[in-house]
C-alpha cells in the first residue's frame, strides 16, 4: 500500500499535534506538585481593605523635607537617575498646585497658592484605568487596593502610560543597571534587598508592598515626619479617615471617576 | 502560485533588492534599539507613544479599506470591481503585517509578546485588537489566495469562501473600531476622548486606503499588461471623495465641540496642533500642510472634470493620502499626549534610528505587497492571454 | 532523480551543519557541573537543607521559583510553608541568595552547562561576589 503526499502530510500533522498535546498534558500534571496553599502572608503583614494616603503639605517646610521623602523612596527601590527628563523615572516627586490640580484655573488666585508644592505619586485608584487597559495583567489591583506592577510580565506596550491621567508611570527607556558616558552608574547605590528593573518595562510607586509585608510603614510615610499618613480608607476609625473627616481634602481629577486613594489636605494646620 | 514571484524582469529584481536593502538597514537599526532600549527613540515619559504606534494606527485604516471593494463587488454585484478586488485584499494583507510589526517594534520587551496570549485579558482593548488583526489577516490570506487560485483555474471560487467574504465586511469595520477604542476610552486624554473617534478613523481610512489602491493600480497598469479598468478606478475615486468629505466634516465637528464649549482641556491639544501651545509649535507646519493638502485634494476630487482626468487624479489622491497620513500618522497620537497630565507641554520628534526602523517596516510591507501583486497580476495576465495554456501539474 | 547533483550537495551541506556541534565537541574536556554549597551561611547550618529536599530542588526549582514569584508579587503571600512544615520568607534575593551567596559556583555552573539563561538577574541583584 502506498500513500500519496496529501495523506502523508495529514498523518504527519495529526501525529505532531498528538505528540505535542500529550507532552503538554504530562507537563501540566507534573508541574502542579507544589500546592498554592503552601503560601501565606507573613505574621507581621499589615492588612487593609483599601490602602490610602492623606498628604498634609503644611508638614513640608523646607526643600530638605521634600528631598528626604523622595530619597527615602527612590534609594530603597533602586530608582535610577538618568540625569535627563526624557528618560526620567520617578515614583514620588513634587509639583506645584497649578499643575497638580489642573482645571482649577483662576486668574485671581495668589501666586503663592499656585506655586505651592504638592507631593505626587501613584494614586492607587479604586477604578484604575491602567489596570483596565493592560493586555497581560502585568499591572493589577490587589485585594487591599494597591495597584501593583508585575515586572516579570510587563511587555512594555505602554498602554498604561497613555491611560494614566496622573502621569504616575515611568518607562525604562534604557537599562537602569547601566552607566552614563562618564562611567557614573544610573543607580548610585544598589539596595541589595530590592530588585532593580530591566529595560523595556513600566514602573511606578507600589505602596511599599514589600515593607507592608514585613509590618513596616511605606518609606515615604516614615520619612515625611507626619506629612504623609497611610491607612485603611474602608476603616472609619483609621487615622486617614479621621483626617479626612476633620479637614477639607481634595483629590486629583476626581471628575474622571478613577477614585484616587490619595487625599490632600489643603491649607493644613494653619486654617484647620 | 507563489513561484510567479520568482519570474520577473530586471526592473522587478532591482526593486526587490532595493526593498531588501531598505529592510536590512531598518533591521540593523532595530538591533540597536533591541540592545539599547526604546531610549534610542524620541519617546519620553510624557509622549510615550510616537511614530511607531501612529503608523500602526494609520495602516489599520489602509487595511480596513479593502472592504470598500468587497462590499460593492460581493454584496452589490458591481462587476467592475471584480478585476481589482484582489488588489484590495492583498493590500490589506501587507498592511496588517506592517501593523503587527509596528506594534512589535514599539514593545519594550518584545521577547515577552506571547504574554498577551498566555495571560488573555478581555478587559484590555489591546487584547481585542490582537484578535481582530490576526483574524483579519487570516481572513484576507484565505479569501485572497483561494479566489485567485480559482481564477487561475478559471473556475468559480469554492462555496465555503462566500461566508468568509461576508464575515470580512464587519471584520474590517471591527479592526478600525477596536483600534479607535484603544484611544477613545482613556480618561484624561482630551483629544482622544471623543465618541466619533471610531467614525473618524473609518472615514479617514476609506479615503486614504482606496486612494493608495488607485495609485497602486496606476503603477500596476504601467509595469504590467494587466489593466484594472478605467471605470473601476473612477468608482473608487468617488468613494475616496465621499469618504474624505465625511472625514473633513467629522474633524470640523471636533473643532466645533471643543471651541464652542470653550472647555480648556478640549481646546488645548487642537491649539497645540494648529497654532502651538505655550510657544511649542513643532507640529504646526505639518498640520497646516495637511489642511492645505486635504483642501486641494478634496477640491480636485469634487470637481468631476479634474476627477475624471487621469493626469490630475493621481495628484489629488496623493494630496488626500498625505493629508490623512499627517493627521493620523503624526497629529493624532502625539496630540493626545500634549499637554501632559500636568498640563505641561513636552514635545516629541522621531529620531534617525526610529525613522530607519519605520522605513524598514514599510519596506517589509512593500516587499510583501510586491510579491503578492506580482502573483496576482501574473495570474491575471495568464488568464487573459488565453488562459490554461499551462495546466497546473505537479 | 532529477538534479541529483544539487540534491546530494545540498544534503551534504545540511548534514555537515547539523553535525557540526557534535563534531566540534568530540574529545572536548566537558565536566559534569557540581554546584557548590560551601558558603559561610550554609556551613554554619546545623542541618544543611534547602526549603525542599535536594532532589526536588534540583528538578523543580524553576517551577517553585515561578510559584514564589506569583505568590509574592501577585497574591501578596510572602511566606512559604515547606513540605517539612517550616516557614520561609519568599524572596530570591533575601532568602535563596542569602544561603547560596555563590551565584557563580551555584547557579551559573549548571545554567552555563545547560546553556540556559534565566532572566532573573536582569533585575534581581546577585550577592556581592559577582557585582563589580
Amino acid at each position: 500500500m502506498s500513500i500519496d503526499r496529501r495523506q502523508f502530510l495529514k498523518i504527519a500533522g495529526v501525529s505532531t499535534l498528538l505528540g505535542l498535546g500529550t507532552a503538554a498534558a504530562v507537563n501540566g500534571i507534573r508541574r502542579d506538585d507544589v500546592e498554592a496553599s503552601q503560601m501565606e502572608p507573613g505574621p507581621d503583614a499589615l492588612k487593609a481593605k483599601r490602602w490610602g494616603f492623606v498628604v498634609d503639605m503644611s508638614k513640608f517646610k523646607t526643600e530638605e523635607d521634600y528631598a528626604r521623602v523622595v530619597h527615602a523612596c527612590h534609594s530603597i527601590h533602586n530608582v535610577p537617575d538618568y540625569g535627563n527628563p526624557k528618560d526620567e523615572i520617578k515614583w514620588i516627586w513634587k509639583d506645584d498646585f497649578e499643575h497638580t490640580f489642573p482645571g482649577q484655573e483662576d486668574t485671581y488666585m495668589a501666586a503663592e497658592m499656585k506655586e505651592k508644592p504638592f507631593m505626587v505619586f501613584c494614586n492607587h485608584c479604586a477604578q484604575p484605568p491602567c489596570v483596565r487597559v493592560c493586555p497581560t495583567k502585568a499591572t493589577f489591583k490587589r485585594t487591599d487596593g494597591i495597584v501593583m506592577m508585575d515586572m516579570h510580565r510587563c511587555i512594555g506596550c505602554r498602554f498604561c502610560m497613555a491611560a494614566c491621567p496622573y502621569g504616575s508611570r515611568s518607562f525604562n527607556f534604557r537599562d537602569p543597571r547601566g552607566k552614563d558616558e562618564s562611567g557614573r552608574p544610573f543607580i548610585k547605590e544598589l539596595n541589595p534587598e530590592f530588585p532593580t528593573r530591566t529595560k523595556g518595562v513600566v514602573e511606578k510607586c507600589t505602596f511599599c508592598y514589600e515593607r507592608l509585608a514585613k509590618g513596616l510603614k511605606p518609606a515615604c510615610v516614615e520619612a515625611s515626619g507626619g506629612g504623609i499618613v497611610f491607612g485603611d480608607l474602608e476603616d472609619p476609625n483609621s487615622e486617614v479617615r479621621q483626617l479626612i473627616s476633620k479637614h477639607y481634602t481634595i483629590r486629583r481629577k476626581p471628575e474622571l471617576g478613577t477614585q484616587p486613594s490619595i487625599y490632600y489636605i489643603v491649607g493644613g494646620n494653619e486654617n484647620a | 502560485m507563489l513561484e510567479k514571484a520568482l519570474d520577473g524582469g530586471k526592473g522587478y529584481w532591482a526593486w526587490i533588492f532595493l526593498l531588501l536593502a531598505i529592510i536590512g538597514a531598518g533591521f540593523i537599526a532595530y538591533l540597536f534599539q533591541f540592545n539599547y532600549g526604546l531610549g534610542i527613540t524620541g519617546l519620553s515619559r510624557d509622549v510615550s507613544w510616537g511614530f511607531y504606534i501612529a503608523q500602526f494606527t494609520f495602516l489599520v485604516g489602509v487595511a480596513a479599506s479593502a472592504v470598500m471593494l468587497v462590499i460593492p463587488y460581493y454584496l452589490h454585484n458591481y462587476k467592475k470591481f471584480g478585476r481589482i478586488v484582489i488588489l484590495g485584499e492583498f493590500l490589506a494583507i501587507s498592511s496588517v503585517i506592517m501593523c503587527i510589526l509596528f506594534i512589535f517594534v514599539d514593545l519594550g520587551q518584545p521577547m515577552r509578546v506571547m504574554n498577551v496570549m498566555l495571560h488573555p485579558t478581555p478587559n484590555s482593548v489591546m487584547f481585542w485588537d490582537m484578535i481582530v488583526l490576526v483574524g483579519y489577516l487570516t481572513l484576507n490570506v484565505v479569501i485572497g489566495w483561494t479566489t485567485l487560485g480559482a481564477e487561475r483555474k478559471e473556475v468559480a471560487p469554492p462555496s465555503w469562501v462566500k461566508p468568509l467574504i461576508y464575515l470580512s465586511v464587519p471584520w474590517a469595520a471591527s479592526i478600525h473600531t477596536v483600534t479607535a477604542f484603544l484611544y477613545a476610552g482613556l480618561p484624561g486624554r482630551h483629544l482622544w476622548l471623543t465618541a466619533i473617534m471610531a467614525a473618524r478613523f473609518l472615514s479617514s481610512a476609506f479615503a486614504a486606503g482606496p486612494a493608495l489602491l488607485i495609485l497602486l493600480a496606476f503603477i500596476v497598469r504601467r509595469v504590467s499588461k494587466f489593466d484594472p479598468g478605467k471605470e473601476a478606478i473612477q468608482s473608487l475615486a468617488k468613494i475616496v471623495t465621499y469618504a474624505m468629505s465625511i472625514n473633513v466634516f467629522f474633524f470640523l465637528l471636533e473643532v466645533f465641540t471643543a471651541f464652542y464649549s470653550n472647555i480648556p482641556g478640549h481646546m488645548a491639544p487642537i491649539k497645540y496642533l494648529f497654532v502651538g501651545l505655550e510657544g511649542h509649535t513643532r507640529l504646526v507646519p505639518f498640520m497646516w500642510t495637511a489642511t492645505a493638502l486635504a483642501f486641494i485634494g478634496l477640491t480636485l476630487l469634487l470637481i468631476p472634470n479634474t476627477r475624471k482626468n487621469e493626469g490630475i487624479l493621481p495628484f489629488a489622491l496623493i494630496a488626500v493620502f498625505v493629508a490623512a497620513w499627517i493627521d493620523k500618522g503624526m497629529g493624532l497620537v502625539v496630540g493626545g499626549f500634549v499637554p501632559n497630565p500636568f498640563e505641561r507641554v513636552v514635545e516629541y520628534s522621531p529620531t534617525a534610528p526610529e525613522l530607519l526602523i519605520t522605513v524598514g517596516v514599510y519596506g517589509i510591507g512593500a516587499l510583501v505587497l510586491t510579491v503578492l501583486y506580482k502573483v496576482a497580476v501574473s495570474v491575471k495576465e495568464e488568464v487573459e492571454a488565453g488562459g490554461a495554456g499551462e495546466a497546473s501539474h505537479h | 532523480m532529477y538534479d541529483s547533483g544539487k540534491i546530494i550537495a545540498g544534503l551534504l551541506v545540511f548534514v555537515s551543519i547539523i553535525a557540526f556541534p557534535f563534531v566540534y565537541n568530540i574529545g572536548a574536556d566537558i565536566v559534569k557541573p557540581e554546584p557548590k554549597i560551601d558558603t559561610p551561611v550554609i556551613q554554619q547550618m546545623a542541618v544543611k537543607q534547602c526549603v525542599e529536599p535536594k532532589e526536588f530542588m534540583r528538578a523543580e526549582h524553576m517551577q517553585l521559583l515561578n510559584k514564589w514569584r506569583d505568590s509574592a508579587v501577585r497574591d501578596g503571600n510572602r511566606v512559604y510553608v515547606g513540605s517539612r512544615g517550616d516557614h520561609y520568607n519568599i524572596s530570591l534575593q533575601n532568602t535563596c541568595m542569602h544561603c547560596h551567596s555563590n551565584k557563580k559556583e551555584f547557579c551559573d555552573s549548571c545554567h552555563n552547562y545547560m546553556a540556559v539563561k534565566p532572566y532573573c538577574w536582569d533585575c534581581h541583584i546577585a550577592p556581592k561576589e559577582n557585582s563589580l
Side-chain angles (χ1 to χ4, degrees):
Chain A
M1 189 191 80
S2 73
I3 54 172
D4 64 13
R5 191 176 62 170
R6 196 181 175 85
Q7 277 171 312
F8 171 76
L9 286 174
K10 269 185 187 166
I11 294 167
V14 169
S15 39
T16 310
L17 279 178
L18 273 179
L20 288 175
T22 316
V26 169
N27 274 342
I29 296 162
R30 203 171 61 95
R31 269 177 201 194
D32 254 13
D33 46 12
V34 182
E35 294 289 323
S37 61
Q38 287 172 285
M39 322 286 185
E40 58 187 48
D44 306 321
L46 300 179
K47 294 184 189 82
K49 285 201 181 101
R50 179 184 169 190
W51 286 117
F53 291 108
V54 173
V55 182
D56 180 356
M57 291 312 298
S58 68
K59 297 274 166 53
F60 292 81
K61 301 222 177 340
T62 61
E63 275 304 311
E64 217 286 308
D65 291 338
Y66 304 108
R68 194 178 57 243
V69 169
V70 173
H71 179 76
C73 169
H74 287 187
S75 61
I76 66 161
H77 294 121
N78 293 323
V79 175
D81 174 13
Y82 295 108
N84 72 63
K86 192 179 94 67
D87 298 331
E88 186 179 23
I89 291 180
K90 43 192 182 183
W91 287 26
I92 182 166
W93 67 102
K94 80 170 159 75
D95 208 326
D96 55 28
F97 177 84
E98 195 184 4
H99 292 96
T100 306
F101 300 95
Q104 306 283 327
E105 283 95 341
D106 182 349
T107 318
Y108 307 117
M109 185 183 275
E112 194 192 319
M113 185 62 202
K114 276 190 188 172
E115 287 155 19
K116 202 178 163 72
F118 281 80
M119 295 307 294
V120 290
F121 41 110
C122 172
N123 274 298
H124 296 281
C125 304
Q127 296 289 335
C130 54
V131 170
R132 203 180 306 144
V133 301
C134 178
T136 61
K137 303 187 192 82
T139 193
F140 58 98
K141 205 162 91 78
R142 305 201 322 179
T143 48
D144 58 3
I146 296 179
V147 175
M148 256 302 277
M149 273 301 302
D150 187 344
M151 307 293 178
H152 308 91
R153 193 179 283 190
C154 176
I155 60 172
C157 72
R158 310 189 297 296
F159 201 178
C160 55
M161 295 177 78
C164 175
Y166 304 105
S168 298
R169 294 177 159 267
S170 308
F171 180 72
N172 285 274
F173 281 101
R174 45 194 306 194
D175 186 358
R177 295 267 193 103
K179 291 172 181 152
D180 67 9
E181 294 75 24
S182 57
R184 183 191 67 99
F186 296 131
I187 304 171
K188 222 179 275 168
E189 208 176 321
L190 283 174
N191 169 15
E193 290 184 15
F194 198 78
T196 65
R197 267 68 61 198
T198 181
K199 66 169 181 269
V201 297
V202 175
E203 63 180 89
K204 67 170 196 77
C205 156
T206 58
F207 213 107
C208 282
Y209 75 105
E210 83 285 2
R211 290 172 60 89
L212 295 181
K214 288 190 273 189
L216 298 170
K217 292 175 183 178
C220 58
V221 173
E222 203 171 76
S224 69
I228 304 177
V229 179
F230 86 114
D232 188 353
L233 290 171
E234 296 269 309
D235 173 7
N237 300 316
S238 66
E239 194 182 354
V240 283
R241 282 289 293 276
Q242 299 291 324
L243 284 168
I244 293 168
S245 61
K246 279 196 201 111
H247 297 268
Y248 176 65
T249 56
I250 55 173
R251 292 186 291 172
R252 293 177 66 199
K253 304 184 184 177
E255 72 277 9
L256 298 179
T258 57
Q259 300 173 39
S261 299
I262 304 181
Y263 289 75
Y264 294 91
I265 298 178
V266 188
N269 286 350
E270 301 122 51
N271 21 346
Chain B
M1 290 189 289
L2 212 51
E3 73 279 1
K4 301 220 174 280
L6 294 172
D7 178 25
K10 234 181 209 165
Y12 173 74
W13 284 109
W15 170 245
I16 294 279
F17 280 109
L18 174 70
L19 289 178
L20 286 174
I22 290 171
I23 295 166
F27 185 71
I28 290 167
Y30 181 71
L31 288 183
F32 274 106
Q33 180 186 297
F34 187 81
N35 208 28
Y36 181 95
L38 281 162
I40 209 168
T41 66
L43 298 167
S44 63
R45 85 188 292 289
D46 294 295
V47 184
S48 46
W49 279 341
F51 221 54
Y52 299 147
I53 291 297
Q55 304 314 312
F56 151 75
T57 309
F58 177 74
L59 288 168
V60 171
V62 175
S65 69
V67 80
M68 285 293 104
L69 294 167
V70 170
I71 292 177
Y73 180 62
Y74 287 107
L75 298 189
H76 298 281
N77 207 19
Y78 181 66
K79 293 279 188 243
K80 298 285 185 231
F81 278 174
R83 298 167 67 79
I84 56 168
V85 72
I86 189 73
L87 299 187
E89 284 158 355
F90 281 176
L91 178 60
I93 293 174
S94 125
S95 303
V96 177
I97 288 172
M98 285 191 276
C99 289
I100 292 169
L101 286 172
F102 272 118
I103 296 224
F104 186 80
V105 298
D106 187 68
L107 292 181
Q109 281 286 339
M111 305 307 276
R112 300 183 187 169
V113 64
M114 282 305 164
N115 278 4
V116 179
M117 285 177 221
L118 285 175
H119 308 285
T121 312
N123 51 278
S124 172
V125 182
M126 193 83 84
F127 169 76
W128 292 106
D129 217 26
M130 177 210 54
I131 290 186
V132 292
L133 281 176
V134 172
Y136 193 65
L137 179 63
T138 315
L139 277 176
N140 275 288
V141 169
V142 171
I143 294 169
W145 210 250
T146 314
T147 49
L148 188 66
E151 189 177 334
R152 186 190 190 190
K153 294 187 191 112
E154 294 181 67
V155 295
S159 55
W160 55 264
V161 177
K162 258 294 160 58
L164 292 184
I165 290 169
Y166 295 143
L167 178 64
S168 79
V169 172
W171 205 289
S174 86
I175 63 169
H176 223 21
T177 305
V178 174
T179 304
F181 284 176
L182 288 176
Y183 300 98
L186 305 182
R189 302 278 177 195
H190 298 294
L191 186 68
W192 298 341
L193 192 74
T194 164
I196 60 164
M197 182 65 93
R200 277 183 68 196
F201 271 29
L202 286 166
S203 64
S204 93
F206 295 157
L212 177 62
L213 197 64
I214 299 174
L215 293 168
L216 290 170
F218 282 138
I219 296 172
V220 165
R221 194 160 66 182
R222 185 166 276 206
V223 299
S224 80
K225 286 183 230 102
F226 171 66
D227 184 0
K230 197 174 165 69
E231 208 172 316
I233 284 174
Q234 280 302 318
S235 301
L236 260 183
K238 274 181 209 151
I239 290 174
V240 175
T241 312
Y242 276 111
M244 191 61 185
S245 310
I246 296 170
N247 186 32
V248 170
F249 173 66
F250 282 168
F251 175 73
L252 294 174
L253 295 182
E254 300 272 25
V255 175
F256 171 81
T257 302
F259 285 87
Y260 194 80
S261 72
N262 199 38
I263 297 174
H266 290 278
M267 294 188 289
I270 302 178
K271 278 187 187 162
Y272 169 68
L273 292 177
F274 286 92
V275 294
L277 205 60
E278 295 171 19
H280 299 279
T281 57
R282 206 172 280 172
L283 281 178
V284 172
F286 290 98
M287 294 315 286
W288 284 107
T289 306
T291 310
L293 287 174
F295 181 76
I296 295 168
L298 195 53
T299 310
L300 291 176
L301 285 172
L302 281 170
I303 300 170
N305 280 336
T306 46
R307 184 177 66 236
K308 285 176 189 153
N309 183 332
E310 285 198 357
I312 295 173
L313 181 62
F315 294 100
L317 296 170
I318 290 170
V320 165
F321 184 80
V322 175
W325 182 81
I326 294 175
D327 173 34
K328 246 156 122 189
M330 293 173 87
L332 183 102
V333 171
V334 178
F337 288 105
V338 182
N340 73 6
F342 290 88
E343 306 239 316
R344 283 202 172 80
V345 181
V346 177
E347 294 203 275
Y348 156 85
S349 42
T351 58
E354 201 174 355
L355 291 175
L356 262 180
I357 294 171
T358 304
V359 172
V361 174
Y362 272 108
I364 294 175
L367 183 67
V368 171
L369 189 73
T370 305
V371 167
L372 290 175
Y373 272 26
K374 176 85 173 106
V375 171
V377 168
S378 303
V379 166
K380 285 180 188 283
E381 281 173 345
E382 180 184 301
V383 171
E384 269 167 33
E390 172 206 347
S392 52
H393 175 78
H394 296 283
Chain C
M1 188 161 68
Y2 300 110
D3 289 332
S4 55
K6 281 181 198 165
I7 290 172
I8 289 166
L11 277 176
L12 278 178
V13 170
F14 175 76
V15 168
S16 53
I17 289 173
I18 289 292
F20 176 75
F22 302 100
V23 178
Y24 182 79
N25 279 322
I26 284 175
D29 186 22
I30 295 161
V31 191
K32 200 174 145 210
E34 286 295 337
K36 290 207 169 68
I37 49 161
D38 56 348
T39 66
V41 177
I42 296 177
Q43 287 194 333
Q44 279 172 22
M45 289 167 86
V47 189
K48 291 183 181 35
Q49 60 184 20
C50 198
V51 298
E52 293 291 345
K54 183 174 157 188
E55 292 68 33
F56 177 85
M57 293 309 291
R58 190 171 272 179
E60 306 283 343
H61 66 280
M62 37 315 220
Q63 281 82 7
L64 184 71
L65 283 171
N66 276 356
K67 296 230 164 177
W68 274 31
R69 173 195 67 198
D70 287 347
S71 170
V73 175
R74 304 193 69 87
D75 309 328
N77 288 335
R78 279 261 167 199
V79 169
Y80 176 72
V81 186
S83 58
R84 292 180 293 246
D86 31 11
H87 291 54
Y88 299 93
N89 178 30
I90 292 181
S91 169
L92 175 64
Q93 268 167 247
N94 303 323
T95 303
C96 305
M97 304 314 282
H98 175 68
C99 293
H100 299 289
S101 53
N102 53 343
K103 172 176 168 280
K104 272 185 189 152
E105 291 166 323
F106 188 71
C107 310
D108 296 352
S109 67
C110 269
H111 290 162
N112 290 342
Y113 177 74
M114 299 298 290
V116 291
K117 269 192 184 167
Y119 67 77
C120 314
W121 313 106
D122 290 357
C123 296
H124 288 281
I125 300 168
K128 257 294 187 266
E129 54 136 21
N130 278 314
S131 42
L132 300 169

